[in-house]
Amino acid sequence: MHVSEAVEARRSIRAFRPDPVPAAVVRTLLEQAARAPSGGNLQPWRVHAVAGAALADLLARVRQAGFDPSPAYDIYPADLWEPYRTRRFETGEALYDAIAIPRTDKAGRMRQLARNAEFFGAPVGIFVSVDRRMGPPQWSDLGMYIQTLMLLAVEHGLATCPQEFWALYARTVATVLDLPDDQMLFCGVALGYRDDDAPINTLRTTRAPFADWGRMIGFPD
Ligand SMILES: Cc1cc2nc3c(=O)[nH]c(=O)nc-3n(C[C@H](O)[C@H](O)[C@H](O)COP(=O)(O)O)c2cc1C
């Protein structure tokens, strides 16, 4: 598989088959993804993959505890401005359109949102944390790791969904995973086999045209 094919094929998957992912495959993915670059080669990511009874226990503890009093960090800046506000809104609408939940069905939308806290049924939940003393450059390194992991997953016939939603449960997750105090949960990544029958997985998000965000300077015409 070419890298460009993996990039094209990857998308956030929000319904998984229950089939387990072999431990050796998960381990290989986690290790290969660590070839991701990081500033100063700090490799600031800490990665915690959870499956089986441990995952079931974690999800039960999260259900019982409910949201943390405040999220681990602000998932979006307050009062998101254009064009980001519209992009976020339209992506949300496209997601709920895919499963035919209209804006008026608030309870239906909440139920779908709550599926985040079940890793959308994925058999593997991966948590990525970072030392609290690290700054934005190291957070970007986490992104490098996560995208590398997600592309490698495609090569293995696996699907993923990165989930900042877990910032809403960071304390409970930290307790269950016994994270040291210096570790801050950044996000979760659902990992497993895509449920091809689930309407939500038909979502194909759009991208803004190059002219909106890119420039080419000094190139020949
Ligand atoms: C860091 C990060 C966190 C995300 N958090 C969530 C999340 O909590 N729940 C969710 O359903 N999708 C989440 N997403 C998925 C985005 O909604 C998705 O990447 C975006 O809409 C583009 O769609 P695509 O991944 O299918 O290309 C997250 C993506 C990233 C990169």
Side-chain angles (χ1 to χ4, degrees), residues 27 38 53 72 82 102 115 143 153 183 219:
R27 176 67 185 254
S38 56
E82 294 300 342
R115 295 278 295 147
Q183 283 297 301
F219 291 87

mmCIF file with all atom_site columns, all heavy atoms in Angstrom, residues 27 38 53 72 82 102 115 143 153 183 219:
data_model
loop_
_atom_site.group_PDB
_atom_site.id
_atom_site.type_symbol
_atom_site.label_atom_id
_atom_site.label_alt_id
_atom_site.label_comp_id
_atom_site.label_asym_id
_atom_site.label_entity_id
_atom_site.label_seq_id
_atom_site.pdbx_PDB_ins_code
_atom_site.Cartn_x
_atom_site.Cartn_y
_atom_site.Cartn_z
_atom_site.occupancy
_atom_site.B_iso_or_equiv
_atom_site.pdbx_formal_charge
_atom_site.auth_seq_id
_atom_site.auth_comp_id
_atom_site.auth_asym_id
_atom_site.auth_atom_id
_atom_site.pdbx_PDB_model_num
ATOM 1  N N   . ARG A 1 27  ? 0.731   -4.148 19.284 1.00 0.00 ? 27  ARG A N   1
ATOM 2  C CA  . ARG A 1 27  ? 2.088   -3.822 19.738 1.00 0.00 ? 27  ARG A CA  1
ATOM 3  C C   . ARG A 1 27  ? 2.951   -3.322 18.567 1.00 0.00 ? 27  ARG A C   1
ATOM 4  O O   . ARG A 1 27  ? 3.689   -2.329 18.692 1.00 0.00 ? 27  ARG A O   1
ATOM 5  C CB  . ARG A 1 27  ? 2.691   -5.064 20.399 1.00 0.00 ? 27  ARG A CB  1
ATOM 6  C CG  . ARG A 1 27  ? 4.127   -4.940 20.853 1.00 0.00 ? 27  ARG A CG  1
ATOM 7  C CD  . ARG A 1 27  ? 4.255   -3.953 22.015 1.00 0.00 ? 27  ARG A CD  1
ATOM 8  N NE  . ARG A 1 27  ? 5.662   -3.782 22.334 1.00 0.00 ? 27  ARG A NE  1
ATOM 9  C CZ  . ARG A 1 27  ? 6.264   -4.299 23.390 1.00 0.00 ? 27  ARG A CZ  1
ATOM 10 N NH1 . ARG A 1 27  ? 5.577   -4.989 24.276 1.00 0.00 ? 27  ARG A NH1 1
ATOM 11 N NH2 . ARG A 1 27  ? 7.550   -4.104 23.594 1.00 0.00 ? 27  ARG A NH2 1
ATOM 12 N N   . SER A 1 38  ? 9.743   13.983 16.234 1.00 0.00 ? 38  SER A N   1
ATOM 13 C CA  . SER A 1 38  ? 9.370   14.887 17.329 1.00 0.00 ? 38  SER A CA  1
ATOM 14 C C   . SER A 1 38  ? 10.510  15.871 17.522 1.00 0.00 ? 38  SER A C   1
ATOM 15 O O   . SER A 1 38  ? 11.680  15.514 17.309 1.00 0.00 ? 38  SER A O   1
ATOM 16 C CB  . SER A 1 38  ? 9.111   14.096 18.626 1.00 0.00 ? 38  SER A CB  1
ATOM 17 O OG  . SER A 1 38  ? 10.230  13.299 18.975 1.00 0.00 ? 38  SER A OG  1
ATOM 18 N N   . ALA A 1 53  ? -11.048 -7.345 29.221 1.00 0.00 ? 53  ALA A N   1
ATOM 19 C CA  . ALA A 1 53  ? -11.725 -7.069 30.492 1.00 0.00 ? 53  ALA A CA  1
ATOM 20 C C   . ALA A 1 53  ? -11.280 -5.719 31.061 1.00 0.00 ? 53  ALA A C   1
ATOM 21 O O   . ALA A 1 53  ? -12.072 -5.002 31.688 1.00 0.00 ? 53  ALA A O   1
ATOM 22 C CB  . ALA A 1 53  ? -11.418 -8.186 31.492 1.00 0.00 ? 53  ALA A CB  1
ATOM 23 N N   . ALA A 1 72  ? -9.874  18.347 30.773 1.00 0.00 ? 72  ALA A N   1
ATOM 24 C CA  . ALA A 1 72  ? -8.422  18.417 30.981 1.00 0.00 ? 72  ALA A CA  1
ATOM 25 C C   . ALA A 1 72  ? -7.841  19.667 30.326 1.00 0.00 ? 72  ALA A C   1
ATOM 26 O O   . ALA A 1 72  ? -6.843  20.216 30.787 1.00 0.00 ? 72  ALA A O   1
ATOM 27 C CB  . ALA A 1 72  ? -7.764  17.168 30.401 1.00 0.00 ? 72  ALA A CB  1
ATOM 28 N N   . GLU A 1 82  ? -14.850 32.346 12.387 1.00 0.00 ? 82  GLU A N   1
ATOM 29 C CA  . GLU A 1 82  ? -14.848 31.836 11.007 1.00 0.00 ? 82  GLU A CA  1
ATOM 30 C C   . GLU A 1 82  ? -13.428 31.760 10.460 1.00 0.00 ? 82  GLU A C   1
ATOM 31 O O   . GLU A 1 82  ? -12.594 32.570 10.844 1.00 0.00 ? 82  GLU A O   1
ATOM 32 C CB  . GLU A 1 82  ? -15.715 32.737 10.118 1.00 0.00 ? 82  GLU A CB  1
ATOM 33 C CG  . GLU A 1 82  ? -17.193 32.702 10.479 1.00 0.00 ? 82  GLU A CG  1
ATOM 34 C CD  . GLU A 1 82  ? -17.808 31.304 10.369 1.00 0.00 ? 82  GLU A CD  1
ATOM 35 O OE1 . GLU A 1 82  ? -17.227 30.418 9.704  1.00 0.00 ? 82  GLU A OE1 1
ATOM 36 O OE2 . GLU A 1 82  ? -18.862 31.095 10.971 1.00 0.00 ? 82  GLU A OE2 1
ATOM 37 N N   . PRO A 1 102 ? -31.981 14.459 13.175 1.00 0.00 ? 102 PRO A N   1
ATOM 38 C CA  . PRO A 1 102 ? -32.135 15.896 12.908 1.00 0.00 ? 102 PRO A CA  1
ATOM 39 C C   . PRO A 1 102 ? -31.749 16.755 14.118 1.00 0.00 ? 102 PRO A C   1
ATOM 40 O O   . PRO A 1 102 ? -31.639 16.243 15.237 1.00 0.00 ? 102 PRO A O   1
ATOM 41 C CB  . PRO A 1 102 ? -33.629 16.038 12.601 1.00 0.00 ? 102 PRO A CB  1
ATOM 42 C CG  . PRO A 1 102 ? -34.270 14.881 13.292 1.00 0.00 ? 102 PRO A CG  1
ATOM 43 C CD  . PRO A 1 102 ? -33.263 13.774 13.346 1.00 0.00 ? 102 PRO A CD  1
ATOM 44 N N   . ARG A 1 115 ? -21.563 7.762  22.571 1.00 0.00 ? 115 ARG A N   1
ATOM 45 C CA  . ARG A 1 115 ? -20.869 6.581  22.019 1.00 0.00 ? 115 ARG A CA  1
ATOM 46 C C   . ARG A 1 115 ? -19.346 6.783  22.056 1.00 0.00 ? 115 ARG A C   1
ATOM 47 O O   . ARG A 1 115 ? -18.579 5.829  22.017 1.00 0.00 ? 115 ARG A O   1
ATOM 48 C CB  . ARG A 1 115 ? -21.321 6.304  20.577 1.00 0.00 ? 115 ARG A CB  1
ATOM 49 C CG  . ARG A 1 115 ? -22.775 5.904  20.446 1.00 0.00 ? 115 ARG A CG  1
ATOM 50 C CD  . ARG A 1 115 ? -22.994 4.432  20.726 1.00 0.00 ? 115 ARG A CD  1
ATOM 51 N NE  . ARG A 1 115 ? -22.329 3.595  19.741 1.00 0.00 ? 115 ARG A NE  1
ATOM 52 C CZ  . ARG A 1 115 ? -21.795 2.395  20.010 1.00 0.00 ? 115 ARG A CZ  1
ATOM 53 N NH1 . ARG A 1 115 ? -21.839 1.915  21.246 1.00 0.00 ? 115 ARG A NH1 1
ATOM 54 N NH2 . ARG A 1 115 ? -21.221 1.684  19.066 1.00 0.00 ? 115 ARG A NH2 1
ATOM 55 N N   . GLY A 1 143 ? 0.496   14.670 17.883 1.00 0.00 ? 143 GLY A N   1
ATOM 56 C CA  . GLY A 1 143 ? -0.277  14.562 16.644 1.00 0.00 ? 143 GLY A CA  1
ATOM 57 C C   . GLY A 1 143 ? 0.461   13.758 15.591 1.00 0.00 ? 143 GLY A C   1
ATOM 58 O O   . GLY A 1 143 ? -0.137  12.960 14.861 1.00 0.00 ? 143 GLY A O   1
ATOM 59 N N   . ALA A 1 153 ? -2.413  1.759  10.835 1.00 0.00 ? 153 ALA A N   1
ATOM 60 C CA  . ALA A 1 153 ? -3.599  0.935  11.090 1.00 0.00 ? 153 ALA A CA  1
ATOM 61 C C   . ALA A 1 153 ? -4.308  0.620  9.772  1.00 0.00 ? 153 ALA A C   1
ATOM 62 O O   . ALA A 1 153 ? -4.751  -0.515 9.559  1.00 0.00 ? 153 ALA A O   1
ATOM 63 C CB  . ALA A 1 153 ? -4.550  1.656  12.047 1.00 0.00 ? 153 ALA A CB  1
ATOM 64 N N   . GLN A 1 183 ? 1.354   13.269 34.282 1.00 0.00 ? 183 GLN A N   1
ATOM 65 C CA  . GLN A 1 183 ? 0.816   12.924 32.965 1.00 0.00 ? 183 GLN A CA  1
ATOM 66 C C   . GLN A 1 183 ? -0.564  13.532 32.750 1.00 0.00 ? 183 GLN A C   1
ATOM 67 O O   . GLN A 1 183 ? -1.449  13.426 33.597 1.00 0.00 ? 183 GLN A O   1
ATOM 68 C CB  . GLN A 1 183 ? 0.721   11.402 32.816 1.00 0.00 ? 183 GLN A CB  1
ATOM 69 C CG  . GLN A 1 183 ? 2.051   10.747 32.554 1.00 0.00 ? 183 GLN A CG  1
ATOM 70 C CD  . GLN A 1 183 ? 2.672   11.191 31.228 1.00 0.00 ? 183 GLN A CD  1
ATOM 71 O OE1 . GLN A 1 183 ? 2.080   11.021 30.175 1.00 0.00 ? 183 GLN A OE1 1
ATOM 72 N NE2 . GLN A 1 183 ? 3.863   11.774 31.291 1.00 0.00 ? 183 GLN A NE2 1
ATOM 73 N N   . PHE A 1 219 ? 7.818   29.631 -6.827 1.00 0.00 ? 219 PHE A N   1
ATOM 74 C CA  . PHE A 1 219 ? 7.858   28.485 -7.751 1.00 0.00 ? 219 PHE A CA  1
ATOM 75 C C   . PHE A 1 219 ? 7.651   28.976 -9.186 1.00 0.00 ? 219 PHE A C   1
ATOM 76 O O   . PHE A 1 219 ? 6.948   29.960 -9.385 1.00 0.00 ? 219 PHE A O   1
ATOM 77 C CB  . PHE A 1 219 ? 6.746   27.487 -7.411 1.00 0.00 ? 219 PHE A CB  1
ATOM 78 C CG  . PHE A 1 219 ? 6.968   26.785 -6.103 1.00 0.00 ? 219 PHE A CG  1
ATOM 79 C CD1 . PHE A 1 219 ? 6.526   27.344 -4.898 1.00 0.00 ? 219 PHE A CD1 1
ATOM 80 C CD2 . PHE A 1 219 ? 7.624   25.558 -6.052 1.00 0.00 ? 219 PHE A CD2 1
ATOM 81 C CE1 . PHE A 1 219 ? 6.737   26.716 -3.689 1.00 0.00 ? 219 PHE A CE1 1
ATOM 82 C CE2 . PHE A 1 219 ? 7.836   24.917 -4.854 1.00 0.00 ? 219 PHE A CE2 1
ATOM 83 C CZ  . PHE A 1 219 ? 7.393   25.496 -3.668 1.00 0.00 ? 219 PHE A CZ  1
#
